[in-house]
Amino acid sequence: VGVAIQPVTMQMAEDGSEPVKLVVTADVLYRSDEDRTFVQFGAWINALDFLWLRAGYLIDNELRDVSFGLGLEYESFRFDYAFVPFTGGFGSSGQVVTLQYFY
């Protein structure tokens, strides 16, 4: 179960475009196999329709709590990078790079 709100949007007076958007999210996750409930929060900023900055926080997880990301989009291509510093288990940070093509 989750909710997302867009509390901030900047709009250009000349053409009505929205160069900056802020979205804040909250989710509650239940894992039946572990009988545990997790709460996570996130936020992302979209600037000029091609740049995304993301951050997230996961409550009550022994391996990780925060994560950060960056996304770039150009025409049909999207590049995403995520950084997840693990606090235990793996002993280091995780990094994910994704390149997508949309047709």
Side-chain angles (χ1 to χ4, degrees):
V1 175
V3 64
I5 60 170
Q6 187 173 330
V8 175
T9 299
M10 292 176 52
Q11 192 169 36
M12 300 298 284
E14 296 83 29
D15 62 2
S17 66
E18 298 176 342
V20 177
K21 301 173 195 170
L22 170 67
V23 175
V24 179
T25 64
D27 298 299
V28 176
L29 307 162
Y30 175 71
R31 294 204 47 181
S32 59
D33 60 330
E34 297 179 10
D35 194 30
R36 291 183 63 191
T37 301
F38 298 97
V39 178
Q40 61 186 24
F41 298 97
W44 56 263
I45 296 173
N46 175 240
L48 303 172
D49 288 329
F50 75 90
L51 173 66
W52 285 265
L53 300 173
R54 301 180 190 96
Y57 185 76
L58 182 59
I59 294 175
D60 196 27
N61 187 298
E62 58 276 353
L63 291 179
R64 65 180 182 96
D65 49 12
V66 298
S67 60
F68 306 96
L70 169 92
L72 299 169
E73 187 171 316
Y74 177 73
E75 294 182 0
S76 296
F77 293 95
R78 181 181 295 162
F79 169 82
D80 279 304
Y81 171 77
F83 177 73
V84 182
F86 289 99
T87 56
F90 296 107
S92 65
S93 299
Q95 300 182 53
V96 179
V97 176
T98 307
L99 181 61
Q100 297 173 309
Y101 174 75
F102 298 92
Y103 58 93

